[in-house]
Amino acid sequence: MPLPLSIAIIPDGARRWARLSGVPLRHSYDLTFSKLLEILLTLKSADVSEAHVYLLSTFNLSRSDDDLLPCIASEIAFLRQLCLRGMLAGVHGNLSVVADRLDLGADYQSIAEQATHSAGELAVHTYVGYSFEWELTTKLERLYRKHGLSDVTSIVQSLARDKIDFLFRSGGSDTLSDFLPIQLRYASLFFTPRLFNELNGADVCNAVEAFKRSRPERRYGR
């Protein structure tokens, strides 16, 4: 019986695809999130139980309103679809920073409060206004309030507990771009030069299946 997988996805390339295709940016982002939903629905049949999707980093917030507004509008529509399907396990990140940057960003908080994951569905964790510094600071503050400085071991163990098996990134970059560096420290990394809008569910599932066939038993240094 195969163990369920936890995977991460960085769906990169929507702005470049819009320029190359000569279409409005909102159209490109809508296509990105339509494909992403298709891929997530397909992954359940590949023994994937949990997906972590990078939507918006804190660095992305430095983009112009013309770049950000189409992206955020499409992301919010995508998150609402996940809610309706019982697949949204969480919206993680510094949502207040996003809301301060753009009025539309306040909708993320509303959706985060409605996040619902139904038993038997793929659990999708999404990341908005995310940075490693934010995650580390938030977790340390939370754990410090709970344990104090007297239990440093519990703090470290909590930070290191969650592990992701496999990362899929489109768009040609071969970096993590500050995405979940602690959780991805033992993950297999798959980078494709193709833009996300050029992919379909089979492309991602084939990469996951190839990983499953080739992956060794996780030994974590032993």
Side-chain angles (χ1 to χ4, degrees):
M1 184 75 170
L3 293 174
L5 296 176
S6 177
I7 73 165
I9 300 174
I10 302 179
D12 199 10
R15 291 192 302 167
R16 280 172 285 163
W17 190 86
R19 288 195 297 268
L20 291 170
S21 303
V23 301
L25 196 51
R26 176 63 192 269
H27 174 82
S28 181
Y29 278 116
D30 282 347
L31 180 60
T32 292
F33 292 110
S34 173
K35 284 180 173 287
L36 182 55
L37 182 59
E38 171 200 345
I39 287 167
L40 292 170
L41 291 170
T42 306
L43 284 172
K44 186 180 174 184
S45 63
D47 300 315
V48 175
S49 63
E50 190 174 70
H52 300 260
V53 183
Y54 205 8
L55 296 183
L56 194 72
S57 73
T58 52
F59 294 110
N60 294 150
L61 296 175
S62 63
R63 294 176 181 174
S64 70
D65 287 5
D66 288 344
D67 273 350
L68 277 176
L69 285 171
C71 173
I72 289 176
S74 296
E75 285 182 358
I76 288 170
F78 166 71
L79 291 171
R80 287 182 174 139
Q81 281 291 315
L82 292 180
C83 275
L84 289 173
R85 293 173 180 270
M87 296 170 64
L88 186 59
V91 182
H92 312 284
N94 193 344
L95 303 183
S96 61
V97 168
V98 184
D100 289 344
R101 174 66 177 79
L102 291 165
D103 290 341
L104 191 59
D107 288 356
Y108 287 117
Q109 185 62 53
S110 174
I111 294 172
E113 293 167 358
Q114 302 168 36
T116 302
H117 175 242
S118 301
E121 294 293 342
L122 177 69
V124 182
H125 295 269
T126 58
Y127 297 80
V128 175
Y130 175 86
S131 70
F132 169 64
E133 291 85 352
W134 170 85
E135 181 184 34
L136 185 60
T137 301
T138 300
K139 287 188 173 180
L140 285 173
E141 288 175 347
R142 186 184 305 134
L143 290 163
Y144 176 75
R145 288 194 297 270
K146 181 177 180 181
H147 298 290
L149 287 176
S150 61
D151 197 353
V152 175
T153 300
S154 294
I155 295 175
V156 174
Q157 287 176 343
S158 176
L159 288 169
R161 182 177 59 245
D162 298 328
K163 297 182 180 70
I164 295 173
D165 301 296
F166 181 78
L167 167 78
F168 183 99
R169 178 169 190 166
S170 64
S173 176
D174 59 358
T175 72
L176 297 181
S177 293
D178 202 33
F179 186 43
L180 302 177
I182 296 175
Q183 295 89 334
L184 286 164
R185 65 197 186 282
Y186 282 108
S188 291
L189 309 178
F190 183 94
F191 302 108
T192 175
R194 296 171 67 189
L195 305 179
F196 198 79
N197 285 355
E198 299 169 348
L199 303 172
N200 56 43
D203 294 314
V204 180
C205 278
N206 288 342
V208 171
E209 291 294 342
F211 160 70
K212 286 163 58 180
R213 290 192 298 271
S214 63
R215 69 171 173 166
E217 178 187 356
R218 291 294 189 199
R219 298 178 61 85
Y220 300 111
R222 294 193 298 274

